[in-house]
Amino acid sequence: MRILLSAMLIAASGLAATCESLTGVKLAGANIQSARTVAAGTFAPPRAEVPVAAPVNYKALPAFCRVQGVLQPSSDSHIEFEVWLPASGWNGRYEGLGNGGFAGAIDYPGLADAVANGYAASASDTGHKGSAIDARWALGHPEKVADFGYRAVHETAEKAKTLITTFYGNQARRSYFSSCSNGGREALMEAQRYPTDYDGILAGAPANDWTHLLANAAEETQILGDPAKFIPPSKLPAIQAATLAACDAQDGVKDGIINDPSRCKFDSSVLLCKGAESESCLTGPQAASLQRLYAGAVDSAGKTIFPGRLPGGEVGSATWSLWITGQAPGTSLMYSFATQYFANMVFEDAAWDYHTFQMDRGLKVADDKTARILNATDPDLKRFRDRSGKLIVYHGWNDPAISALSSVNYFRSVQGKMGAKQTDGFFRLYLAPGMAHCGGGPGPDVFGQAIGQAADPEHSVSKALERWVENGVAPDRIIATKYTTGPNPSVARTRPLCHYPQVASYRGSGAMDDAANFACVEPK
């Protein structure tokens, strides 16, 4: 029945090969384990699928060819990957998808979004199975670290393109990559190391300065691991209230969002307890911890290692209480990332104790051992630019995991290497006020990061990237939307995202929740 269905679909669409015949495609360093047609509405993902904020309606998917395989670029590699190919209505585009955290799972929601919108798509687990906050798979396996760092995404792209050409009889006319967090690091790694893989790259909140990011997290873990210095989540509302009181109105709009928190000069000493300690004030050690979180890490010579967290986004279900403080010392996500990374990839000691971390020594060992494999900080994007590649980076100003200043620093480094005018011709940076890590937060956080979120380039960063690649129209402002929660969400607020260094400025009249009443201007 499946073979008959596949034959009928192919006859209708004029495909060059049957889905099932793709099991016979020979790929260097890879093995195709399965290729079968999935009838419309019948796909059910494995339980270990990547979690997403909104449930995916897999029953709405059209028929597609699902190819499953294993990549083995080294003797210790076992990278499971999938390529999904629309049985009909292919739009001629290929979408590569990445992974958050330490990876370990295939992005089925992303594959579903792509196929539902007519794209051929691919994704991998980067070479291991497991939780995104667990790196025990890396201990004693340097080749698996290399797969995670850069090989898996590149190898998947190459094999996916071959399968696309075989199935449809034509190459994809354009190739795109989109992902966030570690996936944003993967995106920048592609632009830097493999500039011919993709025509357009969308990198969200990239963890591209990996070694410095997690060295900063290790030091923060030490500080917040001291019970006297730990900031309990119950005090975060008072901290946010103070930062908003200091800086919310700087842009002329008091709306619970600091438009550009990099301009907010907040001194944590204003929260020092004047009498008995309460949830509305900080002890001296807690105030010092908070100031360190905002300042970022420095080495013994005072050189900045990684920029600090930005004020204004301390409260929320996926903000500081999840990422930075945790509910108690040693329970935050950044604690998990820092300890898993240094124990399993850097010092290769499962019993490594974060209390022994010293910034200068720890960072040097991390850089010497893994920077070449994991960091995507090279500002020389000449090869990517020369083949007409286009790159968009977006980052939430309220990101509690990765400071948005890290993306600003990378953008400026590219400008310094290639010149501001040259950079503007292929690279745009968008900073989203009030948005947390890849989404969430009080600010508008939906702007087409996923293909199906919005249909036009004015509201979709994905569509804006496509128009830039395919029609040469550089993106300007993009409208972001905040939706209400509940079973029937509606638009709560819209706001323009301006390409850096421009900022959204209120025109002085009209509703403050309407993007039409804001203009993108150069900062004063």
Side-chain angles (χ1 to χ4, degrees), residues 279-464:
E279 292 183 355
S280 63
C281 67
L282 300 177
T283 65
Q286 289 170 346
S289 295
L290 180 60
Q291 205 60 39
R292 160 61 183 82
L293 292 172
Y294 290 138
V298 297
D299 62 16
S300 59
K303 180 182 177 182
T304 297
I305 298 300
F306 198 79
R309 303 316 197 287
L310 291 156
E314 295 83 0
V315 176
S317 60
T319 53
W320 282 37
S321 61
L322 176 68
W323 286 95
I324 303 172
T325 65
Q327 297 302 308
T331 62
S332 72
L333 289 180
M334 294 313 294
Y335 162 85
S336 296
F337 284 120
T339 55
Q340 288 288 311
Y341 166 63
F342 278 98
N344 297 296
M345 294 185 182
V346 178
F347 294 114
E348 297 186 80
D349 177 4
W352 178 76
D353 183 353
Y354 73 86
H355 293 95
T356 65
F357 181 77
Q358 295 177 328
M359 179 58 75
D360 287 12
R361 175 179 176 272
L363 181 60
K364 184 179 188 309
V365 177
D367 278 342
D368 289 348
K369 185 169 287 187
T370 69
R372 184 187 63 80
I373 299 168
L374 300 175
N375 287 2
T377 54
D378 186 354
D380 188 356
L381 297 177
K382 184 177 184 300
R383 292 186 300 155
F384 182 70
R385 181 206 63 193
D386 286 353
R387 64 172 301 272
S388 300
K390 299 293 186 289
L391 169 65
I392 295 179
V393 172
Y394 65 87
H395 209 136
W397 269 127
N398 280 14
D399 193 327
I402 305 167
S403 174
L405 292 177
S406 177
S407 287
V408 171
N409 290 344
Y410 179 67
F411 180 77
R412 288 176 174 168
S413 75
V414 176
Q415 286 184 319
K417 177 69 177 180
M418 305 189 66
K421 185 176 181 180
Q422 289 286 340
T423 300
D424 195 54
F426 75 95
F427 182 4
R428 293 288 166 93
L429 169 63
Y430 289 88
L431 300 168
M435 188 174 87
H437 186 59
C438 299
D445 61 336
V446 175
F447 45 92
Q449 304 99 306
I451 295 168
Q453 281 182 336
D456 64 87
E458 284 67 41
H459 294 81
S460 169
V461 68
S462 297
K463 296 299 183 184

Side-chain angles (χ1 to χ4, degrees), residues 188-236:
L188 293 183
M189 187 70 82
E190 281 291 297
Q192 295 164 22
R193 193 182 286 245
Y194 302 109
T196 63
D197 279 357
Y198 293 100
D199 303 301
I201 293 176
L202 182 60
N208 62 308
D209 197 359
W210 185 272
T211 59
H212 287 213
L213 167 68
L214 294 184
N216 176 57
E219 187 173 83
E220 290 178 346
T221 292
Q222 276 188 330
I223 294 168
L224 295 175
D226 182 338
K229 298 177 182 178
F230 178 73
I231 302 172
S234 60
K235 295 196 176 190
L236 295 177

